Amino acid sequence: MSHPTFLVTTPLPDPGMQMLRAAGDVVVPDRELTAEELTAVCSSGSHDVVVAQLINIFDETTLAAATVRGISNYAVGYDNVDVAAATNHGILVCNTPGVLTAATADLAMLLILATARRCVEADAYLRSGRFRGWRPELLLGADITGASLGLVGFGRIARATAERALGFGMTVRYTARRAVPDDDLGPLAGRVQHAEFDELVRTSDFLSLHVPLNADTHHLIDADVLRAMKPTAYLINTARGPVVNEQALVAALRDGQIAGAGLDVYEHEPDVADGLADLANTTLLPHLGSATRSVRATMARRCAANAIAMARGEMPEHPVNPEAWRA
Ligand SMILES: O=CC(=O)O
């Protein structure tokens, strides 16, 4: 394709747009597309590749109608795309893995620290003029050093979180389909232990979620799991909101079934469950896992490069479903 057209649902940070403009025509809608508009525009026959965001949902209806040859998702996660349907319809899907691992692990650690040490509450306390000087029992929090961290899922971001947590003197266990042999653990060899999910839930001081969203992980953390956690434990979620039943979480936080939660993602983003924002024992961030200037720029470069390769009929570097590719 000598002069392809890219549909960019939301402009990418630099240098993404420059790369796309240098490679072809770029169409950017003047507002956020509804589901119907996304389907219409993807099936108009006017675009070769869509550069998409997590908020753009590609379901069977959209993909069956689509005339584009590829979707370049500006994210490592791709639960906004029905990948099986995309494969079925010969549409390649790409993501931006690797580059946001450290930033997201930093954010998981930040949520652990901020929630345990009541950072948001303390900041609001000071700003409201209530700080009258040091007090022995002012805003006491929980210890990090010596606490146990349970990682649910053990991919790149979980491992990077483990490295950080070990640096803070935490003990770290993970649950995954099977224990990872020491030889495959790199710097974590001998320093982290595998545990069954139920045990991890029952015994962790901090339970941090690092699983992709799919049918198996939807509402993995439900009322029963929250009830099984220690009343002194904290739930941390930098993965995907629907992994947690958010209403059950609000009830558990309200009833003191767990001590607190640090969340970057929500079940129905951008909405949060009723009552969640009223709870002082939460740290609530607006989906910022990869939000550093350099990471977002690197993601943009990767996302644009994937889109350009697909438009040129070349296999991109980060395909999610390479089997869909018909060169
Ligand atoms: O949540 C963000 C991502 O998947 O990149």
Side-chain angles (χ1 to χ4, degrees):
M1 203 155 302
S2 56
H3 200 77
T5 301
F6 301 99
L7 171 70
V8 181
T9 62
T10 304
L12 297 181
D14 293 343
M17 296 306 273
Q18 294 95 316
M19 288 171 66
L20 293 169
R21 288 205 171 98
D25 288 333
V26 175
V27 176
V28 183
D30 54 8
R31 63 197 159 82
E32 212 167 276
L33 297 173
T34 63
E36 292 73 27
E37 288 167 342
L38 183 68
T39 306
V41 79
C42 287
S43 58
S44 64
S46 312
H47 313 100
D48 300 295
V49 172
V50 194
V51 176
Q53 304 287 328
L54 287 174
I55 54 172
N56 304 132
I57 308 300
F58 293 88
D59 57 12
E60 166 62 26
T61 309
T62 304
L63 292 162
T67 47
V68 295
R69 56 162 52 197
I71 299 169
S72 182
N73 221 32
Y74 182 65
V76 64
Y78 44 84
D79 45 280
N80 56 314
V81 184
D82 180 339
V83 176
T87 306
N88 229 3
H89 297 294
I91 298 172
L92 191 64
V93 181
C94 295
N95 68 342
T96 62
V99 291
L100 45 75
T101 304
T104 308
D106 287 347
L107 204 87
M109 202 62 223
L110 179 154
L111 285 171
I112 291 171
L113 293 165
T115 311
R117 298 300 298 271
R118 303 170 64 179
C119 192
V120 174
E121 223 183 320
D123 182 277
Y125 176 87
L126 183 132
R127 287 173 200 268
S128 70
R130 282 177 288 160
F131 182 39
R132 297 275 180 263
W134 193 90
R135 297 277 185 277
E137 294 197 283
L138 179 62
L139 287 162
L140 301 184
D143 291 321
I144 304 294
T145 303
S148 62
L149 172 64
L151 300 166
V152 179
F154 200 50
R156 279 184 294 254
I157 297 172
R159 291 172 195 220
T161 304
E163 286 187 43
R164 285 154 178 72
L166 288 166
F168 277 89
M170 301 180 88
T171 59
V172 180
R173 289 169 305 160
Y174 66 93
T175 187
R177 264 182 245 278
R178 61 191 76 83
V180 180
D182 260 6
D183 283 353
D184 298 336
L185 278 176
L188 295 176
R191 304 170 73 206
V192 297
Q193 277 75 44
H194 177 262
E196 294 304 323
F197 177 74
D198 290 353
E199 191 202 334
L200 207 71
V201 165
R202 272 191 300 103
T203 56
S204 294
D205 296 315
F206 295 84
L207 193 69
S208 186
L209 307 181
H210 301 278
V211 286
L213 174 64
N214 55 41
D216 292 337
T217 60
H218 183 262
H219 281 191
L220 178 68
I221 308 298
D222 60 9
D224 289 340
V225 169
L226 291 161
R227 212 172 295 114
M229 288 173 69
K230 298 206 264 188
T232 50
Y234 296 85
L235 180 73
I236 306 297
N237 192 3
T238 52
R240 283 291 182 265
V243 174
V244 179
N245 179 331
E246 209 166 279
Q247 273 190 337
L249 175 62
V250 171
L253 289 163
R254 240 187 223 146
D255 300 349
Q257 279 169 29
I258 64 171
L263 308 176
D264 187 41
V265 289
Y266 305 88
E267 189 170 355
H268 303 291
E269 285 180 26
D271 298 331
V272 301
D274 280 350
L276 187 62
D278 302 329
L279 295 167
N281 53 350
T282 57
T283 307
L284 306 177
L285 302 181
H287 204 147
L288 294 178
S290 61
T292 75
R293 281 181 287 276
S294 74
V295 168
R296 289 285 166 87
T298 310
M299 286 169 65
R301 191 175 297 115
R302 213 157 258 211
C303 180
N306 286 334
I308 293 165
M310 287 192 280
R312 289 183 178 153
E314 295 159 9
M315 181 57 107
E317 214 177 316
H318 305 288
V320 166
N321 58 343
E323 64 280 13
W325 194 233
R326 292 191 298 253

